[in-house]
Amino acid sequence: MKKLILRILPFSIFIFLAIFSASAQNFPQGSSQGTTTMTEKVTPIDMPLVDLSIRNPQNGQEVAFSVQVLMLLTILSLAPSILILLTCFLRFSIVLDFIKRALSLQQVPPTVVLNGIALFMTLFIMWPTFNQIYTNSFKPLADEQIGVEEAYTQAINPMRNFMFSQIPDGNKSLDMFLELANVRPQTLDDIPTYVLIPAYILNELTVAFKIGILLYIPFIVVDMVVASILMSMGMIMLPPVQISMPFKLMLFVLVDGWGLLTQQLFISVM
């Protein structure tokens, strides 16, 4: 009962003061009443009116414009996937994840950091290609010198050249997709883009896994040596990974692993 009274008492006092202040003309004593008015010098803020209307197209030009806007929104939504799949980002990110697993590291470095490293390495490699796309496609389109179709052609050609430079001659993936699409090209220009892109992605996955296997071999040797030593000493309950991880880290740092890895990745792309 006392707890209930203590809870109700402050609320009752607040209600009493509110009623008393409303009934009194000048509360507290000695205060004065006043009003506030805005002068003519104060102007209200002009807020723009946003109005969206939907109607049927009146001619073919409006239909084409609607389709172009839809395609632009689709490209913008697929931009991250395009960056990952059509550049060397896929190879870099997979190899960096392989080296993290080979070192038996769980949280360090974080995946966000590895993806950031792969992103800036990709920008370093792809900058000439992006610059060529901007010069030959985006800038003339913004200046209304070329149309959308020509801008697409000027933008996709540098990307096709880059993908062709990464696919070796006689690549099985490219041959497989050409056979599935029933295409018999005479030159590289005859290969459709929808055939080239999946072949390039599979080639990047294959190259990345080959590099990952080569990275795993020396660290597996260290794990095997440590595990055999622990078994010979009778330390069966001690996890070998816990002992081998410092040795793998020392080996990686002594040989300047990050520098060698970055250099070899650049060489593999260039």
Side-chain angles (χ1 to χ4, degrees):
M1 189 66 181
K2 292 182 179 180
K3 293 182 178 179
L4 181 61
I5 294 174
L6 292 176
R7 292 180 180 178
I8 297 176
L9 183 60
F11 182 73
S12 301
I13 295 173
F14 175 77
I15 296 296
F16 173 75
L17 292 176
I19 295 173
F20 179 76
S21 61
S23 60
Q25 294 182 354
N26 297 327
F27 180 83
Q29 187 176 3
S31 62
S32 60
Q33 294 182 347
T35 58
T36 303
T37 57
M38 295 180 64
T39 62
E40 297 179 354
K41 296 181 179 179
V42 179
T43 56
I45 301 175
D46 294 332
M47 296 297 295
L49 175 63
V50 179
D51 186 14
L52 298 177
S53 60
I54 300 176
R55 60 179 178 84
N56 294 326
Q58 302 297 326
N59 49 42
Q61 187 176 1
E62 292 184 354
V63 175
F65 178 75
S66 301
V67 173
Q68 291 175 3
V69 172
L70 180 61
M71 293 178 60
L72 179 61
L73 294 176
T74 304
I75 293 174
L76 291 177
S77 62
L78 296 177
S81 300
I82 294 174
L83 175 64
I84 292 173
L85 298 178
L86 301 187
T87 62
C88 51
F89 178 86
L90 181 63
R91 181 187 305 188
F92 292 163
S93 61
I94 292 177
V95 172
L96 291 176
D97 190 70
F98 262 112
I99 195 64
K100 178 181 177 180
R101 297 178 184 272
L103 291 171
S104 302
L105 299 174
Q106 301 297 327
Q107 302 295 333
V108 180
T111 305
V112 178
V113 175
L114 294 180
N115 289 335
I117 295 173
L119 175 62
F120 282 99
M121 291 172 60
T122 303
L123 291 177
F124 179 82
I125 295 295
M126 300 296 298
W127 190 259
T129 303
F130 291 156
N131 190 24
Q132 188 175 357
I133 293 174
Y134 174 79
T135 304
N136 298 334
S137 176
F138 181 78
K139 193 174 184 305
L141 179 63
D143 295 338
E144 298 182 356
Q145 297 177 359
I146 59 176
V148 177
E149 295 182 359
E150 187 176 355
Y152 168 77
T153 303
Q154 294 295 332
I156 199 63
N157 284 336
M159 296 299 300
R160 284 172 56 89
N161 294 334
F162 173 78
M163 288 187 284
F164 277 127
S165 66
Q166 300 304 312
I167 298 178
D169 296 335
N171 184 265
K172 295 182 179 180
S173 300
L174 183 59
D175 295 338
M176 178 187 68
F177 282 107
L178 288 174
E179 184 177 355
L180 291 175
N182 196 17
V183 177
R184 299 292 183 270
Q186 301 296 327
T187 61
L188 296 179
D189 294 335
D190 297 334
I191 299 178
T193 304
Y194 68 88
V195 173
L196 175 61
I197 291 176
Y200 170 77
I201 294 172
L202 291 184
N203 177 74
E204 287 294 292
L205 288 173
T206 303
V207 173
F209 272 75
K210 287 181 180 179
I211 297 174
I213 292 172
L214 295 177
L215 289 175
Y216 251 103
I217 292 176
F219 298 110
I220 289 177
V221 173
V222 175
D223 287 334
M224 293 175 61
V225 171
V226 172
S228 61
I229 292 175
L230 292 178
M231 290 288 292
S232 63
M233 295 175 65
M235 299 180 180
I236 303 176
M237 302 301 295
L238 187 63
V241 177
Q242 208 170 21
I243 304 300
S244 63
M245 185 178 68
F247 291 99
K248 290 191 288 186
L249 288 176
M250 286 189 293
L251 175 64
F252 189 73
V253 172
L254 288 176
V255 300
D256 190 19
W258 291 114
L260 290 176
L261 180 63
T262 304
Q263 182 181 6
Q264 293 304 315
L265 284 175
F266 286 158
I267 292 175
S268 68
V269 176
M270 293 180 176

